[in-house]
Amino acid sequence: MLIILEEKKKRTPENVEKDYKNCKYIMTDFGDIQAPNGYLDSVSESEESFDEICRRAYLFSKQGRQCILLGTYNNGGGIGVQYEIS
């Protein structure tokens, strides 16, 4: 399931991963790629919503919005790349 949050408070990836374990998520307007601190936009809780979150990241990219797809389902393998930047 893809959860759209569009949070208005900046967070770090470590903070997001404490709240959303074993999930992939999109952060927007994150500033420095070495220490991303951005807005949590959406969370994919399972592989079933991986395509949805990728489409959302692609839409941001087409709009010229800075976004990064982070996280892992922690299933020992992985669909897609662990970190994607647009």
Side-chain angles (χ1 to χ4, degrees):
M1 170 181 211
L2 183 66
I3 303 167
I4 309 296
L5 299 165
E6 298 177 330
E7 290 186 356
K8 303 298 181 201
K9 183 179 176 186
K10 286 197 170 192
R11 300 172 72 166
T12 64
E14 294 80 18
N15 181 273
V16 172
E17 290 171 13
K18 284 181 186 174
D19 292 340
Y20 298 97
K21 292 177 177 30
N22 303 326
C23 294
K24 285 196 160 289
Y25 57 94
I26 294 175
M27 290 183 77
T28 61
D29 306 310
F30 55 85
D32 182 11
I33 188 68
Q34 297 298 321
N37 185 19
Y39 302 106
L40 178 61
D41 175 76
S42 49
V43 175
S44 166
E45 296 183 313
S46 68
E47 294 173 12
E48 286 78 28
S49 59
F50 180 72
D51 288 341
E52 288 178 80
I53 201 164
C54 287
R55 282 193 298 273
R56 189 163 176 86
Y58 178 73
L59 177 64
F60 286 139
S61 178
K62 285 196 65 132
Q63 294 172 345
R65 275 188 76 188
Q66 182 187 46
C67 75
I68 185 169
L69 178 57
L70 298 168
T72 178
Y73 298 120
N74 202 21
N75 59 2
I79 295 178
V81 182
Q82 290 300 319
Y83 297 94
E84 295 182 17
I85 303 171
S86 10

